[in-house]
Amino acid sequence: MLGKIRLENVRLYGFHGCLKEEEMIGSDYRVDLEVTADLSAASRSDRLGDTVDYVHLQSIIREEMAIRTKLIETVAARILDRVLEELPAVKSAEVAVSKINPPIGGDVQQVTVCLHKNRD
């Protein structure tokens, strides 16, 4: 039985961006991650070892968001790569990385990049 595990609205502070100010001052970010996996064993056993540990997922998000990059596309791709590399039960994953109040010269709440990747 395939199911989904979602981490929603993981809030972080980071220093991503192409502008020198973004590197120095930083800004708020939001990450949403959804993974698809076979959850049938976990639904019967009630054992953490039979599911995708969402603490591990959050650790991946936090570690990758801590690495400064110019583009949030790069951060999103690294998160997906690690999820599929480190968690063999995951069949596919989708991540959305949002920069809150981006410095783009207008009243914009956030800019979001969404990437999806399937296990090969």
Side-chain angles (χ1 to χ4, degrees):
M1 160 181 13
L2 286 180
K4 295 180 185 285
I5 296 174
R6 293 185 187 117
L7 275 74
E8 299 177 283
N9 199 20
V10 178
R11 288 176 265 159
L12 306 134
Y13 199 82
F15 297 87
H16 310 294
C18 295
L19 302 176
K20 198 70 167 166
E21 294 81 11
E22 293 173 301
E23 181 179 353
M24 294 169 46
I25 299 168
S27 59
D28 292 308
Y29 291 84
R30 170 188 172 159
V31 178
D32 297 287
L33 177 63
E34 178 179 283
V35 300
T36 301
D38 185 347
L39 302 177
S40 54
S43 66
R44 289 189 303 274
S45 72
D46 197 33
R47 290 184 329 128
L48 180 60
D50 290 335
T51 192
V52 176
D53 184 354
Y54 51 80
V55 173
H56 191 159
L57 293 172
Q58 183 182 16
S59 293
I60 290 170
I61 292 169
R62 289 195 176 283
E63 290 167 12
E64 293 306 322
M65 287 295 292
I67 301 168
R68 186 193 174 337
T69 59
K70 292 181 181 175
L71 302 177
I72 56 177
E73 290 88 332
T74 306
V75 179
R78 285 198 319 254
I79 291 169
L80 289 180
D81 288 344
R82 281 195 55 196
V83 166
L84 291 172
E85 178 183 313
E86 296 177 20
L87 300 160
V90 173
K91 307 289 184 210
S92 66
E94 182 171 314
V95 66
V97 177
S98 302
K99 181 182 281 192
I100 310 300
N101 297 318
I104 60 175
D107 186 11
V108 178
Q109 179 180 349
Q110 65 187 32
V111 172
T112 303
V113 169
C114 299
L115 296 179
H116 179 91
K117 190 169 185 180
N118 295 317
R119 184 172 297 287
D120 295 331

